[in-house]
């Protein structure tokens, strides 16, 4: 996929995620960026719990709600895109730019052990 197209799709989806969050009342009161990052972190924690519980595939509750690790990964992305929408960050452009840069980095760059 062309990077410009990918960025545009992600930017538009971020706008949609933010619009939906607004429509569902998540922005009725002002939220700080730190609070939003904590909510993203809570979704990461839920993903960790799904791994610990062996819920690594998508499952559906009786009401149709998706659960399991794939659903939590989606929640993480949706919350990131919502925040990007609130901050008016063209997240698709930044993701493509960062990914393009990361392709130039050495293997296991930065001296990290893991």
């Amino acid at each position: 996929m062309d990077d410009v197209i990918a960025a545009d799709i992600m930017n538009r989806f971020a706008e949609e995620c933010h619009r939906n969050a607004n429509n569902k009342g998540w922005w009725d009161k002002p939220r700080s960026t730190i609070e939003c990052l904590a909510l993203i972190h809570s979704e990461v924690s839920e993903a960790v719990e799904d791994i610990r519980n062996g819920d690594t595939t998508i499952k559906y509750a009786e009401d149709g709600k998706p659960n399991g690790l794939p659903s939590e990964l989606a929640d993480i992305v949706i919350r990131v895109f919502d925040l990007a929408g609130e901050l008016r960050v063209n997240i698709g452009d930044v993701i493509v730019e960062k990914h393009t840069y990361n392709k130039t980095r050495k293997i296991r760059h930065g001296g990290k052990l893991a």
Side-chain angles (χ1 to χ4, degrees), residues 53-106:
N53 294 332
D55 295 331
T56 57
T57 60
I58 195 89
K59 296 179 177 89
Y60 298 92
E62 285 186 25
D63 64 358
K65 179 185 181 230
N67 294 303
L69 178 62
S71 179
E72 296 307 331
L73 294 174
D75 284 343
I76 293 163
V77 172
I78 289 166
R79 286 220 182 255
V80 168
F81 279 22
D82 173 33
L83 178 58
E86 175 66 15
L87 298 176
R88 298 194 181 357
V89 170
N90 288 325
I91 194 68
D93 298 336
V94 179
I95 289 172
V96 167
E97 179 181 33
K98 183 66 183 210
H99 178 63
T100 300
Y101 174 75
N102 284 347
K103 290 191 280 185
T104 71
R105 298 178 98 168
K106 295 185 291 184

